[in-house]
Amino acid sequence: MFKMASRNAFTIPIFVLYCFTTFFSLTTSKSTIEPCSNSDTCSALVGYTLYTDLKVSEVASLFSVDPISLLLSNSIDISYPDVENHILPSQLFLKIPIPCSCVDGIRKSSTTSYKTRPSDTLASIATAVYGGLISADQINEANPDAGISDPSVLNVGTKLNIPLPCTCFNNSDNNLPAIYMSYVVKPVDTLSGIAARYFTTLTDLMNMNQLGSPAIKEGDILAIPLSACASKFPKYALDYGLFVPNGSYAITASHCVQCSCGPGSRNLYCTPASLAVSCSSMQCRSSNLMLGNVTTQQSSAGCNVTSCSYGGFVNGSITTWLSSSLQPRCPGSQQFPQLIAPPTVVPDSLFSPAPSPSEAGGFPTMNPKSSVVPSSGAGIGFPPANGPAGSASGTSDARALMNNLYSFSFLLTLGLVFKFLLSIPL
């Protein structure tokens, strides 16, 4: 009798530990963490799928970013009247530009804040409002002075810091300029599909995210390198370290300068912005060339190229520099990323998810215009609940259902293990 008790006393904890390890490995999502030891800030992106119809200004407010920067990061034309109040459709995927800082030895964005609204919980803010980019526990830990005693009961109007995940990796990928996007894996995603969508390789994604295999699951947060054009501004410039993803735009110098990274290019090209008002001079010194102007003169030795380029925003002034070079041939016209009209429907895509389950209360699904995901990488998840300005429920219920299924399977397995161990004869 003593032998059996001793053996079971040793064996049962081992099996219990194994079961718990297996259980939590099934339910815990992976996230890419970049340790850091300095105060440098880099340009980064987060991939975000709108949980409901939102104005451009509302999306910008959620992430504490400039609405114009948000639009240009997605190559959306800012010349449309009252574009900041344009309503973007639910389930639209956007790349949100954020500054990535070093906080407590880990890269994260520390500039995003959120003011709680009626019926908000930490879980709904994390899962619905911010699309799984952060967890309820992370929000709680980042706000020790918010007086949160119950994560399901929040005082309306409480200001919360939202430390979004981000990575810098020296803004380099295989020694080439890159900007990194934090991307939440959708149910329809595969690692090879993500690699193809963002013009990278499976190997690169696995190495970057320290994956032992291509297996990923819903809710994982991946760091995805996007080819970019790098600025060469001095460190004392306010926009030092500006990186612009290939095929998109950025605005700087108090909305006076617009920079682009053309298709297939790695050369940042800056011109006066269409919104430029009350801006400092953009003319290159000792020249009649304005910012962005390029002149060419063919000669027997090659092509003499003179250009007026942007040198950064310093002490409230736009700096420019004039450069001349002899090139083998004259450059062609500058290629600009294609601008799109402010979206009113979710673009069609080859990636079509399974239909969403019916709502369990709340607002009805708000995107009947399209049942497919956009080509930029969004997946149609379950309509979330309890978000600002209205939403559809389902995300929390769906995840709770999955967690309940995992719990049931875990308890059933644990019960069978105990029954088996107790039945072992001496």
Side-chain angles (χ1 to χ4, degrees), residues 60-281:
S61 178
L62 277 181
F63 291 92
S64 306
V65 300
D66 175 28
I68 300 302
S69 295
L70 169 63
L71 291 169
L72 289 177
S73 293
N74 294 276
S75 297
I76 297 174
D77 195 343
I78 60 173
S79 67
Y80 280 71
D82 200 24
V83 70
E84 294 181 20
N85 283 317
H86 177 81
I87 298 175
L88 299 170
S90 174
Q91 301 305 317
L92 179 70
F93 181 84
L94 295 172
K95 297 188 286 286
I96 312 290
I98 60 170
C100 187
S101 307
C102 185
V103 182
D104 299 328
I106 295 175
R107 289 286 183 192
K108 62 182 72 171
S109 177
S110 58
T111 59
T112 300
S113 62
Y114 176 81
K115 188 172 288 187
T116 57
R117 305 187 184 193
S119 77
D120 273 342
T121 67
L122 288 187
S124 70
I125 294 170
T127 305
V129 179
Y130 287 98
L133 283 164
I134 191 170
S135 69
D137 288 341
Q138 289 170 329
I139 297 177
N140 201 4
E141 291 171 5
N143 295 275
D145 300 325
I148 302 174
S149 56
D150 184 349
S152 63
V153 180
L154 303 177
N155 293 325
V156 175
T158 300
K159 187 177 181 180
L160 299 176
N161 176 39
I162 309 295
L164 298 170
C166 61
T167 50
C168 293
F169 296 119
N170 297 318
N171 279 126
S172 175
D173 179 39
N174 297 314
N175 298 317
L176 293 173
I179 186 170
Y180 286 83
M181 179 175 69
S182 298
Y183 176 80
V184 182
V185 173
K186 306 297 188 293
V188 295
D189 282 329
T190 63
L191 198 63
S192 59
I194 293 172
R197 200 178 315 157
Y198 292 104
F199 305 101
T200 185
T201 65
L202 187 65
T203 300
D204 203 12
L205 284 183
M206 290 178 64
N207 291 339
M208 194 62 58
N209 294 280
Q210 299 182 343
L211 299 177
S213 75
I216 54 174
K217 66 178 184 298
E218 180 185 4
D220 287 348
I221 301 176
L222 302 177
I224 301 177
L226 305 179
S227 176
C229 295
S231 63
K232 298 178 182 178
F233 309 150
K235 285 192 174 182
Y236 50 81
L238 285 178
D239 43 9
Y240 168 74
L242 177 67
F243 279 73
V244 181
N246 192 265
S248 65
Y249 295 82
I251 199 161
T252 185
S254 295
H255 286 186
C256 289
V257 176
Q258 184 170 303
C259 300
S260 65
C261 184
S265 173
R266 293 191 183 276
N267 298 316
L268 194 65
Y269 182 72
C270 301
T271 60
S274 59
L275 300 176
V277 178
S278 302
C279 300
S280 62
S281 173

Side-chain angles (χ1 to χ4, degrees), residues 294-297 303-307 323-327 329-331:
V294 178
T295 63
T296 60
Q297 184 176 6
C303 186
N304 291 304
V305 181
T306 303
S307 60
S323 64
S324 298
S325 62
L326 180 65
Q327 300 179 13
R329 60 179 63 88
C330 291

Side-chain angles (χ1 to χ4, degrees), residues 274-405:
S274 59
L275 300 176
V277 178
S278 302
C279 300
S280 62
S281 173
M282 299 190 212
Q283 183 173 340
C284 272
R285 290 182 180 180
S286 304
S287 167
N288 59 358
L289 296 183
M290 296 293 293
L291 176 63
N293 288 166
V294 178
T295 63
T296 60
Q297 184 176 6
Q298 188 70 53
S299 69
S300 58
C303 186
N304 291 304
V305 181
T306 303
S307 60
C308 180
S309 303
Y310 177 59
F313 195 52
V314 181
N315 296 327
S317 296
I318 296 167
T319 60
T320 58
W321 54 278
L322 190 69
S323 64
S324 298
S325 62
L326 180 65
Q327 300 179 13
R329 60 179 63 88
C330 291
S333 59
Q334 175 66 29
Q335 296 295 309
F336 292 95
Q338 180 181 1
L339 286 171
I340 63 172
T344 55
V345 296
V346 178
D348 289 337
S349 169
L350 297 176
F351 305 96
S352 298
S356 298
S358 59
E359 290 78 26
F363 288 82
T365 302
M366 300 183 71
N367 63 325
K369 304 166 186 174
S370 175
S371 61
V372 294
V373 300
S375 59
S376 53
I380 296 217
F382 304 107
N386 299 325
S391 67
S393 66
T395 299
S396 300
D397 294 339
R399 291 194 175 181
L401 176 60
M402 291 302 297
N403 288 337
N404 289 338
L405 291 174

